[in-house]
Amino acid sequence: MLISCKEDIVKNSSGYFSNLQFSVDTVIIDPGDEIIFLKHQLLNSDMGKGEKYLYNFNVDDHTLEKINLDELRLEEKFPFEKEGPNGTGPGIGMMRFIDESHVSITGMYLSSLFSMEGEKLMTVYYENFSLAEWHNGGDLLMGGSVLLDPDSKRLYGLIQGYEDKKFVLGVLHLEKYETSRVELKSFNKMPEYSFMHYIGKSTMHQTPKVGIEKFGRKVILSNEITSDLMWYDTAMDSFFMKSYTSQLTANKKEKTYKKEHETPQEYRVEYARYKQEVNFMPPFWDRDGQLFLRFSYIENESRTDVYLTTYDEELNQLGETLVPHLTKKPTKHFAKDGKIWIYENMKDEMGFVRLKMEKIK
C-alpha cells in the first residue's frame, strides 16, 4: 500500500458563528418497562447511519438497546450471548454500529462482527498480526481504538509501541494477514502526557484520550493534547494532516507535568493541572449542516469553559466560539436534525441536552 502524507496550516476564521445564536432544550427517553443501561455514560453506544436510532450495549443483561431518537423511547432490545460459538467473550471493550444489520464488538485482544440477532459472523484475533503481546514485550493494538471495516476486509486501529510508547495507525489487511503502519506526527507528544500512580501493589496508568472515527472515506484521528487532525483517505491510500490556529484557546497543551506519582492523591492534583490546559475532543459529523464539529474545554475548579469549532468536509476550519450554555465537559454527544445532542443522566433516566444553532435574521 502506498501512503503519502500532506500537512496544511489553516488559520482560524470566526465568520461561521457571526450570525448564529444558541438555544438549548432537554429531552428524556422513555424506557417503557425496561431499565436503560447508563452506568458508563453511554461509552458503549453508537449512532445509526440514518440518525434515527442510538444503539447502546447493556453489559448488565448483555443486550443491545435500540433507542428511537425521533420518538424518544426505547424501541427494542437484542439479546447477545456471553459464551459459546456466538459469545462476545469476557469483557466488552467497545461496541460500534456497522450498518442496520451489523455491529462490531471489541475486546482487548480481538474484534468480532455480529448480526443484530447476536450471531457471530467474523472474529479478528490481533495475535495473528503479531499484536496484543505487550506483556511479552510486543506492540499493542489498543482494543478501544479500532474500527472494523468488513466491506474492505480491513481493520484500522491505534498501535502503541512497547519500547518507545509511541502511537501509529495500523491498517490490518484481514485476508492477507498483513499490517501497514503509518506514523502519526500529531501523536508524537502523547507519551509526555501519560500519568502513572500506585494503589498498593497495582500500577494505574492514565493516557490522553484519543479518537478514531470513519466518516465516508476518511478515517479521522485525534487526541486531546492538540487541535491537529490527521486522517487516512481509504480510497486514495493517502494520509493527511492539518494544523490550526485558534484565537480563543491555545492550539495544544504546553506545560510539563510530573508523570509518576506515589499516591492517588498526588496524581489527582497533578491531573487537575493537566485538565486546566485546553483539552480537545474528537470531531463529529453534522449531516444536516454538512460540516464537522468539535468540542474543546478548559476545566478549572470553579467552572469549565466549553468551545465549539466547525470545519468543512475537507477539514478546513470555518470558525470557533465559546458556548456559554455549556458549563461542564460534554459527555457522549452527536449531531441530529441540526442540533447537538449531549447525554445527561436525569435522575437515573437517559436524557439529552440539545444545543441548537440558529441564524439571526
Side-chain angles (χ1 to χ4, degrees):
M1 180 174 64
L2 297 177
I3 296 176
S4 62
C5 183
K6 178 182 178 183
E7 179 177 0
D8 290 337
I9 305 296
V10 181
K11 292 189 176 180
N12 171 66
S13 169
S14 59
Y16 180 84
F17 292 105
S18 60
N19 64 336
L20 292 178
Q21 65 180 9
F22 292 102
S23 62
V24 296
D25 67 356
T26 59
V27 295
I28 296 178
I29 303 300
D30 180 5
D33 297 328
E34 302 285 350
I35 298 176
I36 300 177
F37 184 76
L38 303 177
K39 288 184 180 177
H40 304 308
Q41 296 189 325
L42 303 192
L43 176 66
N44 263 332
S45 67
D46 202 7
M47 278 281 288
K49 292 293 189 290
E51 298 184 356
K52 181 178 180 180
Y53 294 106
L54 177 71
Y55 296 88
N56 183 44
F57 200 90
N58 185 329
V59 299
D60 279 351
D61 63 11
H62 227 66
T63 61
L64 184 64
E65 301 169 340
K66 183 180 181 182
I67 297 157
N68 190 320
L69 296 175
D70 289 344
E71 300 178 9
L72 302 177
R73 64 183 179 89
L74 174 62
E75 183 171 302
E76 193 173 0
K77 296 182 71 169
F78 302 100
F80 280 67
E81 298 178 14
K82 292 184 180 181
E83 300 177 351
N86 293 312
T88 57
I92 303 295
M94 186 67 67
M95 185 280 300
R96 289 185 185 267
F97 177 87
I98 301 296
D99 56 39
E100 283 69 17
S101 301
H102 304 92
V103 295
S104 67
I105 296 178
T106 68
M108 184 174 292
Y109 301 122
L110 56 84
S111 183
S112 298
L113 178 70
F114 288 86
S115 71
M116 289 296 185
E117 290 72 33
E119 179 185 3
K120 185 184 292 185
L121 306 173
M122 177 177 64
T123 297
V124 180
Y125 296 96
Y126 306 154
E127 64 183 0
N128 293 335
F129 296 84
S130 299
L131 297 167
E133 298 175 351
W134 215 4
H135 54 287
N136 292 327
D139 296 343
L140 177 69
L141 180 64
M142 300 179 65
S145 301
V146 300
L147 293 172
L148 178 61
D149 188 350
D151 290 336
S152 67
K153 303 294 191 297
R154 291 177 177 177
L155 184 144
Y156 306 97
L158 290 175
I159 299 173
Q160 187 173 22
Y162 179 80
E163 294 292 339
D164 59 13
K165 302 297 187 290
K166 290 188 176 181
F167 292 86
V168 298
L169 173 66
V171 183
L172 278 57
H173 305 272
L174 305 183
E175 292 182 322
K176 300 178 181 178
Y177 290 95
E178 296 177 352
T179 303
S180 301
R181 298 185 180 216
V182 186
E183 181 185 359
L184 298 176
K185 183 177 179 181
S186 64
F187 281 62
N188 284 347
K189 295 286 186 179
M190 290 271 288
E192 299 178 18
Y193 295 96
S194 297
F195 296 88
M196 180 181 72
H197 67 281
Y198 301 95
I199 300 179
K201 296 182 179 180
S202 300
T203 303
M204 306 299 292
H205 295 269
Q206 177 71 50
T207 58
K209 304 295 188 300
V210 299
I212 174 170
E213 297 289 343
K214 189 171 185 290
F215 303 97
R217 54 192 261 180
K218 290 185 176 71
V219 176
I220 302 179
L221 298 119
S222 61
N223 64 71
E224 69 179 1
I225 68 174
T226 177
S227 62
D228 293 351
L229 292 173
M230 303 188 74
W231 70 94
Y232 170 63
D233 189 306
T234 59
M236 297 175 61
D237 279 345
S238 298
F239 212 75
F240 300 87
M241 174 178 172
K242 285 190 177 178
S243 299
Y244 306 94
T245 300
S246 172
Q247 296 177 359
L248 302 180
T249 70
N251 304 313
K252 59 183 178 181
K253 289 184 180 291
E254 298 173 337
K255 296 180 181 178
T256 57
Y257 298 93
K258 182 180 177 182
K259 294 192 290 184
E260 296 187 16
H261 304 275
E262 295 298 326
T263 67
Q265 175 62 23
E266 182 183 311
Y267 154 74
R268 284 193 290 268
V269 171
E270 190 71 348
Y271 194 64
R273 289 185 59 238
Y274 169 86
K275 302 300 281 187
Q276 289 170 9
E277 284 197 276
V278 63
N279 308 273
F280 299 93
M281 304 187 79
F284 56 103
W285 177 247
D286 177 6
R287 188 176 67 170
D288 189 76
Q290 291 294 293
L291 45 78
F292 287 100
L293 303 168
R294 188 186 194 186
F295 282 122
S296 58
Y297 65 95
I298 298 174
E299 201 170 79
N300 295 304
E301 291 184 6
S302 59
R303 72 181 192 282
T304 297
D305 295 326
V306 180
Y307 302 87
L308 181 65
T309 304
T310 59
Y311 311 83
D312 64 17
E313 291 183 82
E314 299 306 316
L315 292 169
N316 299 303
Q317 187 169 313
L318 302 176
E320 58 180 349
T321 185
L322 174 72
V323 186
H325 302 75
L326 303 180
T327 57
K328 58 184 177 181
K329 170 190 171 182
T331 55
K332 179 75 177 188
H333 55 273
F334 49 83
K336 171 178 166 57
D337 301 331
K339 298 180 180 180
I340 302 174
W341 295 49
I342 305 169
Y343 165 68
E344 182 82 23
N345 187 316
M346 298 180 178
K347 297 181 179 180
D348 292 330
E349 300 288 352
M350 178 185 283
F352 291 94
V353 173
R354 302 191 299 185
L355 182 69
K356 184 177 182 179
M357 297 180 289
E358 297 178 289
K359 289 187 177 181
I360 301 173
K361 296 181 180 179

